Amino acid sequence: MPACKMVSSGTGMFGEGKFNIFDEWLSSQKRGLFPKDFLFWAGEGFVWLYMYEDGMNVPSEFEIIDFQGGLYAVATDIDQKTDKEFMNAEIDKFLSENGFERDTSRLELGNIITSPLVKKIMGYGQMDYYIPIKAK
């Protein structure tokens, strides 16, 4: 992922005021082939990020931040049903076999990759888990 600017929701939870405003704003953005929004756990709640583009109309409630970017290993699974212990073991095995290790200086990110229509058809949503990595 390249270093870039991101619009940040700030820390919050789904169903709460500012987080709902961010969700509404994000939902009004044109959806492309590749994800532009990423979520991470910040200890007291989630932070939702959206890739900023010049000229974008960003509500005043939200900050535009610098995002470091970097290499990520990506795993896909069923949203909210992931066996994280198994997933992490598989990721660590892959990294070890290919000369990489986790980069704990950066945060793990997530992105829901299924649209509401696809979720309705399949009966579940899929999530991409982005694990920051670096060369050993």
Side-chain angles (χ1 to χ4, degrees):
M1 247 190 249
C4 63
K5 300 274 187 198
M6 294 266 199
V7 180
S8 173
S9 66
T11 305
M13 296 296 287
F14 290 96
E16 293 181 353
K18 191 174 175 183
F19 225 65
N20 285 345
I21 295 169
F22 192 87
D23 187 20
E24 288 175 26
W25 173 77
L26 179 127
S27 296
S28 72
Q29 304 304 308
K30 185 178 177 185
R31 189 175 176 105
L33 179 61
F34 299 104
K36 293 185 178 182
D37 69 298
F38 303 91
L39 195 67
F40 67 89
W41 180 251
E44 297 176 10
F46 291 101
V47 174
W48 210 342
L49 303 174
Y50 188 84
M51 290 181 108
Y52 176 78
E53 297 175 14
D54 287 336
M56 184 178 276
N57 185 14
V58 178
S60 60
E61 295 95 329
F62 308 119
E63 185 179 0
I64 299 171
I65 63 167
D66 291 319
F67 179 77
Q68 180 180 358
L71 292 174
Y72 288 83
V74 181
T76 302
D77 206 344
I78 297 174
D79 183 31
Q80 298 181 1
K81 295 195 190 250
T82 299
D83 179 342
K84 289 197 176 179
E85 190 173 308
F86 175 76
M87 180 185 74
N88 282 324
E90 289 295 307
I91 289 169
D92 289 339
K93 178 182 172 192
F94 172 83
L95 296 177
S96 177
E97 291 172 352
N98 291 281
F100 292 99
E101 62 186 5
R102 290 175 183 256
D103 181 352
T104 57
S105 71
R106 296 181 292 130
L107 296 168
E108 295 182 9
L109 305 171
N111 175 270
I112 303 298
I113 61 172
T114 44
S115 69
L117 176 60
V118 171
K119 183 177 179 179
K120 183 178 177 182
I121 292 167
M122 295 189 329
Y124 60 87
Q126 289 182 305
M127 182 168 177
D128 277 348
Y129 295 85
Y130 289 76
I131 312 307
I133 65 173
K134 61 185 178 181
K136 280 188 179 179

